[in-house]
C-alpha cells in the first residue's frame, strides 16, 4: 500500500513539474534577458554575447553587482571590461 502512495506522489510531482521551463545553455543572444546575457558573458567571454551587450548598451556591472547570486567573484572585474 505504501508503494502505491509513493508512486502516486511521484506521478503528481512529475505532472506538476512538466510545465517548468529551464534556461538553455545555448541560444540566440538577442532573445536573452539582460541579466542572463551579462552573467553568461562574465562566465564565458563569448564575443557574440559582448556584441549584443554593446548593441543594447547594457551596464552589466550594475546589473550583476545587484544580483544576490553573483557576488563579486574572481571574474567580477571582467564585467567592467565588456567590449567598450
Amino acid at each position: 500500500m505504501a508503494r502505491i502512495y509513493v508512486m502516486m506522489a511521484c506521478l503528481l510531482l512529475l505532472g506538476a513539474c512538466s510545465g517548468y521551463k529551464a534556461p538553455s545553455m545555448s541560444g540566440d543572444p538577442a532573445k536573452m534577458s539582460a541579466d542572463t546575457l551579462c552573467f553568461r558573458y562574465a562566465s564565458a567571454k563569448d564575443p557574440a554575447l559582448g556584441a549584443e551587450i554593446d548593441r543594447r548598451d547594457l551596464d552589466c556591472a550594475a546589473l550583476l553587482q545587484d544580483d544576490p547570486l553573483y557576488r563579486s567573484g574572481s571574474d567580477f572585474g571582467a564585467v567592467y571590461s565588456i567590449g567598450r
Side-chain angles (χ1 to χ4, degrees):
M1 190 63 145
R3 251 188 195 167
I4 292 174
Y5 289 129
V6 170
M7 289 176 61
M8 288 179 64
C10 289
L11 288 174
L12 286 173
L13 183 61
L14 182 62
C17 295
S18 65
Y20 179 72
K21 204 172 169 187
S24 67
M25 291 310 290
S26 64
D28 183 11
K31 294 179 181 176
M32 291 180 188
S33 66
D35 54 341
T36 300
L37 189 62
C38 290
F39 180 79
R40 290 202 182 156
Y41 182 80
S43 301
K45 315 293 186 290
D46 183 358
L49 299 175
E52 181 63 21
I53 289 168
D54 285 341
R55 188 186 71 75
R56 293 188 202 179
D57 195 28
L58 296 176
D59 184 5
C60 287
L63 282 171
L64 295 180
Q65 190 171 13
D66 293 336
D67 188 343
L69 298 177
Y70 191 82
R71 288 288 181 202
S72 59
S74 60
D75 60 346
F76 192 73
V79 175
Y80 291 99
S81 60
I82 294 177
R84 296 189 195 279

